[in-house]
């Protein structure tokens, strides 16, 4: 048998033959250290670009014998490694053709980058999907997995479809269907096939999934009939938003009906929400002061658990994340640059219990795996500064998810700071209405009041830095799909510079 086929077969047997609980219990410190050191030395031996990269740093690779040694290695970045060496040289043996799948990053921070992988790399990530689907009790229930990510060369759709199929191979009663981001095809798929299953799972980007739910309701799709579960990736959202979409699909327990993936084109799925992490996040969401104390900012981050044998995280001095993990292009101390932080399982348990949260006592087994936590915020360049206060899109989102306004608005908005006629700064928010909703002064004033109340509650900088007479946001309401502010088919940006 060809060595590549043997490697794939070994990875497949490992995934199929290892129960989820057994796999999660194996994430012990000794296994983590052995795994990351083995990846490092294998990469040095097989990847031409990495050998050249280390040679330029005049490093003795033979001295790397521990995690402490490993943490002295230079950081990989896109400029110093990914763009400095040809793609093939970043692959094992300088052979791009030894990978069987290519994905392209979105290019949101520059030129799109190609990321290769193999089936073995997907099978490693498939354990993250198994955690999510096991929480949905998909090992016991006939499940239709509806992939609503865009299909094509981007990583989300094809990677998700592959991992869901691996779960079916493992014995989960899952059928995968791939309408992609075509709403009418999603509705047709759900209505025609949904009655044959005990539940459906919609997987996609949060704003799109909400749009699917809202548009489906307008077209008389009876979501509760299909007992939906939701899997998200790509954006931070509030717990108010999670509660709202759960209400609209008839899901009683958000911890068992939703999950967010921390996924990237370069690293695959780095971590995933669990019922435990969701319960904790909901607890922190209701206590903004405690959340600021724990996470350090006036906005709630995504909170997920991760397996350090698969993706090993470190925290850089500037509060950004560094990750190591296997792939078509192995990552060794890759500065992924997402803002966030790390909390161990024991530390989080102590924080929660001291604050009166009983999530660790109520949840057990695969719903509360003994894995560390990583948290991450939305990109820093999506914030605006107003009287010295950093205002985050997440703060505005919560205001638009309040009961008095949520039936009018889509959740999309554009936040900006501009100068008024007197040259004083003004906080302006352009908000998209739902289809069929018309703007009027009463709605505009209600939206502004809801946003202001949540800004004051959630953002201590805003409440204390911004003079009271300048706190009232200037709200403009625009119809759904407004071509200037909310064009269809374009990735939405929540801020604009002045």
């Amino acid at each position: 048998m060809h060595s590549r086929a043997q490697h794939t077969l070994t990875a497949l047997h490992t995934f199929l033959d290892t129960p989820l609980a057994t796999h999660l219990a194996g994430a012990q410190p000794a296994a983590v250290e052995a795994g990351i050191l083995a990846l490092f030395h294998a990469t040095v031996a097989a990847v031409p670009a990495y050998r050249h990269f280390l040679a330029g740093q005049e490093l003795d690779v033979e001295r790397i014998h521990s995690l402490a040694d490993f943490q002295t290695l230079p950081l990989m970045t896109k400029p110093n490694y990914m763009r400095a060496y040809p793609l093939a040289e970043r692959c094992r043996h300088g052979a791009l053709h030894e990978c069987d799948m290519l994905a392209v990053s979105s290019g949101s921070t520059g030129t799109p980058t190609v990321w290769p992988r193999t089936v073995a790399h997907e099978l490693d990530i498939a354990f993250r999907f198994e955690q999510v689907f096991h929480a949905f009790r998909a090992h016991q229930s006939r499940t239709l997995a509806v992939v609503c990510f865009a299909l094509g060369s981007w990583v989300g759709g094809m990677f998700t479809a592959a991992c869901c199929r691996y779960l079916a191979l493992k014995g989960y009663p899952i059928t995968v269907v791939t309408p992609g981001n075509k709403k009418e095809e999603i509705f047709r798929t759900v209505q025609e096939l949904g009655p044959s299953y005990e539940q459906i799972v919609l997987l996609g980007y949060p704003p799109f999934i909400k749009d699917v739910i809202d548009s489906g309701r307008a077209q008389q799709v009876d979501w509760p009939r299909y007992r939906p579960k939701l899997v998200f990736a790509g954006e931070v959202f509030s717990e108010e938003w999670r509660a709202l979409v759960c209400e609209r699909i008839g899901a009683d327990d958000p911890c068992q009906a939703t999950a967010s993936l921390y996924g990237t084109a370069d690293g695959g799925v780095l971590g995933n929400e669990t019922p435990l992490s969701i319960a904790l996040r909901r607890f922190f969401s209701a206590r903004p002061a405690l959340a600021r104390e724990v996470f350090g900012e006036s906005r709630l981050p995504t909170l997920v658990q991760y397996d350090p044998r698969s993706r090993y995280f470190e925290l850089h001095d500037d509060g950004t994340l560094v990750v190591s993990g296997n792939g078509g292009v192995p990552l060794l101390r890759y500065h992924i640059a997402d803002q966030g932080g790390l909390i161990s399982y024991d530390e989080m348990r102590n924080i929660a219990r001291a604050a009166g949260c009983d999530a660790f006592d109520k949840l057990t087994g695969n719903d509360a795996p003994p894995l560390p936590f990583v948290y991450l915020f939305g990109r820093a360049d999506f914030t605006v500064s107003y009287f010295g206060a950093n205002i985050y899109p997440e703060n505005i989102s919560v205001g638009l998810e309040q009961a008095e306004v949520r039936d009018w608005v889509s959740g999309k908005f554009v936040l900006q700071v501009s100068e008024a006629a007197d040259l004083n700064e003004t906080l302006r928010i352009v908000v998209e209405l739902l289809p069929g909703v018309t703007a009027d002064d009463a709605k505009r004033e209600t939206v502004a009041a809801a946003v202001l109340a949540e800004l004051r509650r959630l953002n201590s900088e805003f409440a204390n830095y911004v003079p009271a007479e300048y706190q009232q946001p200037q709200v403009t309401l625009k119809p759904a799909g407004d071509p200037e502010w909310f064009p269809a088919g374009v990735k939405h940006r929540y801020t604009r510079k002045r």
Side-chain angles (χ1 to χ4, degrees), residues 180-474:
N181 58 348
K182 308 299 181 185
K183 286 194 292 185
E184 293 303 322
E185 186 65 12
I186 294 169
F187 300 148
R188 186 188 68 79
T189 296
V190 168
Q191 291 174 305
E192 288 188 13
L193 301 178
S196 298
Y197 293 85
E198 294 173 272
Q199 63 179 358
I200 65 170
V201 178
L202 303 177
L203 304 100
Y205 295 112
F208 181 71
I209 291 295
K210 182 177 182 295
D211 186 24
V212 166
I213 292 168
D214 291 341
S215 299
R217 280 159 50 95
Q219 295 188 32
Q220 310 307 312
V221 176
D222 182 10
W223 290 114
R225 175 188 179 189
Y226 308 108
R227 296 164 296 281
K229 307 294 188 293
L230 308 174
V231 178
F232 312 111
E235 290 194 15
V236 179
F237 52 81
S238 71
E239 287 305 315
E240 288 84 354
W241 185 93
R242 192 196 307 264
L244 173 61
V245 295
C246 283
E247 176 187 318
R248 290 182 177 174
I249 63 172
D252 296 330
D253 184 359
C255 295
Q256 303 285 349
T258 64
S260 186
L261 305 174
Y262 176 17
T264 65
D266 34 18
V269 176
L270 310 179
N272 57 278
E273 283 190 326
T274 61
L276 175 61
S277 75
I278 297 171
L280 291 167
R281 191 173 189 263
R282 290 169 64 77
F283 181 84
F284 288 123
S285 175
R287 296 160 179 81
L290 176 62
R292 283 194 296 273
E293 180 182 338
V294 173
F295 303 117
E297 290 201 19
S298 295
R299 51 177 173 164
L300 194 66
T302 294
L303 178 66
V304 304
Q305 291 184 268
Y306 70 98
D307 184 343
R309 294 167 303 173
S310 173
R311 296 295 182 266
Y312 178 73
F313 279 102
E314 301 170 66
L315 187 62
H316 194 254
D317 293 341
D318 63 357
T320 56
L321 297 171
V322 174
V323 67
S324 301
N326 205 355
V329 172
L331 304 179
L332 280 305
R333 306 201 74 222
Y334 176 56
H335 190 210
I336 203 163
D338 288 329
Q339 287 187 303
L342 306 172
I343 303 176
S344 72
Y345 180 87
D346 289 340
E347 182 184 1
M348 182 64 85
R349 181 172 55 191
N350 292 338
I351 291 170
R353 286 178 173 170
C357 175
D358 60 2
F360 282 86
D361 302 309
K362 284 188 172 181
L363 294 166
T364 59
N366 292 327
D367 289 346
L371 298 175
F373 295 82
V374 58
Y375 61 89
L376 61 145
F377 299 99
R379 290 189 178 275
D381 56 0
F382 289 173
T383 67
V384 300
S385 179
Y386 185 54
F387 286 89
N390 288 321
I391 300 177
Y392 308 101
E394 296 93 320
N395 299 155
I396 308 302
S397 293
V398 176
L400 299 181
E401 288 146 9
Q402 299 306 303
E404 61 268 31
V405 301
R406 67 189 192 185
D407 290 334
W408 302 335
V409 301
S410 72
K412 290 183 181 179
F413 60 90
V414 176
L415 172 67
Q416 59 184 172
V417 174
S418 61
E419 290 183 345
D422 58 3
L423 301 185
N424 289 321
E425 289 189 333
T426 301
L427 185 65
R428 299 185 183 276
I429 309 170
V430 181
V431 178
E432 182 185 47
L433 295 168
L434 285 171
V437 177
T438 56
D440 57 49
D441 287 342
K443 290 188 182 73
R444 180 178 55 77
E445 292 171 4
T446 302
V447 169
V451 169
L452 177 60
E454 293 306 310
L455 269 172
R456 287 172 171 166
R457 182 178 74 90
L458 296 170
N459 193 320
S460 59
E461 285 187 352
F462 177 87
N464 290 284
Y465 292 3
V466 181
E469 62 270 26
Y470 290 100
Q471 290 186 1
Q472 181 73 30
Q474 301 299 308

Side-chain angles (χ1 to χ4, degrees), residues 484-495:
E484 179 182 359
W485 295 94
F486 308 103
V490 176
K491 187 173 183 178
H492 183 63
R493 289 186 62 89
Y494 289 90
T495 59

Side-chain angles (χ1 to χ4, degrees), residues 47-57 85:
V47 179
Y50 195 61
R51 286 199 302 273
H52 187 274
F53 176 68
L54 293 184
Q57 308 283 338
Y85 297 96

